[in-house]
Amino acid sequence: MALTDSTMMPLGTSAPDFSLPDAVSGKTKTFADVAGERGTLVMFICNHCPYVIHIARELAAVAAEYDPRGIGFVAISSNDVNERPEDGPEYMREFAEKYNFIFPYLYDETQEVAKAYDAVCTPDFFLFGADGKCAYRGQFDASRPKSAEPVTGADLRASLDAVLEGDPIPEEAQVPSQGCSIKWKSG
């Protein structure tokens, strides 16, 4: 399992907009469609990645906990399905249902959205405040597959709480996410 660290979008960056199909509902979603009143979490994930599978149940629990508090959630898969067919839309729907995702799971076929966010790994998390500016980018928590560290979502939960309270999240508290590299199209 090759490990890739997230590139850490500069804090204060405005959320890049997108218009992508939801693999679950079939409807096209934009950033405005998924944005929460108090903040928005944009996640780059995929179906096959052991790092995503490792946190998927707790990720769904975090969304269920914070969505009612005004945080919008969206997941995006940007992998090249020629290289990873199991990351295609029909399997994305199954994955979302298996883990009880309450948020849209969008398919970025052109990979333009991943590039706009400078996403490089799965999972890769980008939390934006109510103003649409990046407040946090980093890891879900310190747990990794085959580690003794429990999956808690501690880093992300602390960041979500800070955004809800209107508190800044210190840059030194933002640890890069780690996971599988996004499978880019050749050329």
Side-chain angles (χ1 to χ4, degrees):
M1 237 178 335
L3 199 59
T4 300
D5 287 358
S6 60
T7 58
M8 307 292 279
M9 166 189 281
L11 295 174
T13 299
S14 293
D17 200 8
F18 50 77
S19 180
L20 296 171
D22 180 3
V24 178
S25 72
K27 297 179 180 171
T28 298
K29 302 284 184 178
T30 64
F31 183 85
D33 293 331
V34 301
E37 181 180 310
R38 300 180 68 197
T40 308
L41 182 68
V42 178
M43 308 167 276
F44 288 85
I45 67 172
C46 69
N47 305 338
H48 86 275
C49 174
Y51 296 90
V52 173
I53 294 167
H54 181 69
I55 66 166
R57 290 202 192 286
E58 190 63 21
L59 180 59
V62 168
E65 179 182 341
Y66 285 88
D67 177 80
R69 296 170 67 189
I71 301 291
F73 289 79
V74 65
I76 300 172
S77 179
S78 298
N79 276 354
D80 177 10
V81 295
N82 290 320
E83 185 174 337
R84 285 295 189 168
E86 67 270 38
D87 289 338
E90 63 276 11
Y91 301 108
M92 291 168 62
R93 187 177 318 105
E94 291 173 14
F95 191 85
E97 290 170 359
K98 176 180 180 178
Y99 291 104
N100 298 312
F101 289 172
I102 62 167
F103 46 82
Y105 190 9
L106 311 181
Y107 180 50
D108 178 21
E109 183 176 11
T110 66
Q111 303 183 317
E112 292 303 315
V113 176
K115 291 174 186 171
Y117 279 78
D118 206 15
V120 295
C121 64
T122 57
D124 213 346
F125 298 96
F126 301 87
L127 177 59
F128 299 89
D131 62 359
K133 305 279 188 204
C134 183
Y136 176 81
R137 69 288 192 258
Q139 67 181 5
F140 187 69
D141 60 26
S143 182
R144 303 289 183 269
K146 300 181 183 175
S147 75
E149 190 77 31
V151 178
T152 63
D155 292 59
L156 184 58
R157 285 176 191 277
S159 299
L160 289 163
D161 289 340
V163 163
L164 288 170
E165 294 297 320
D167 296 333
I169 305 160
E171 188 152 4
E172 59 274 7
Q174 302 195 28
V175 177
S177 187
Q178 293 182 322
C180 298
S181 66
I182 290 179
K183 307 308 178 234
W184 300 105
K185 294 180 179 186
S186 61

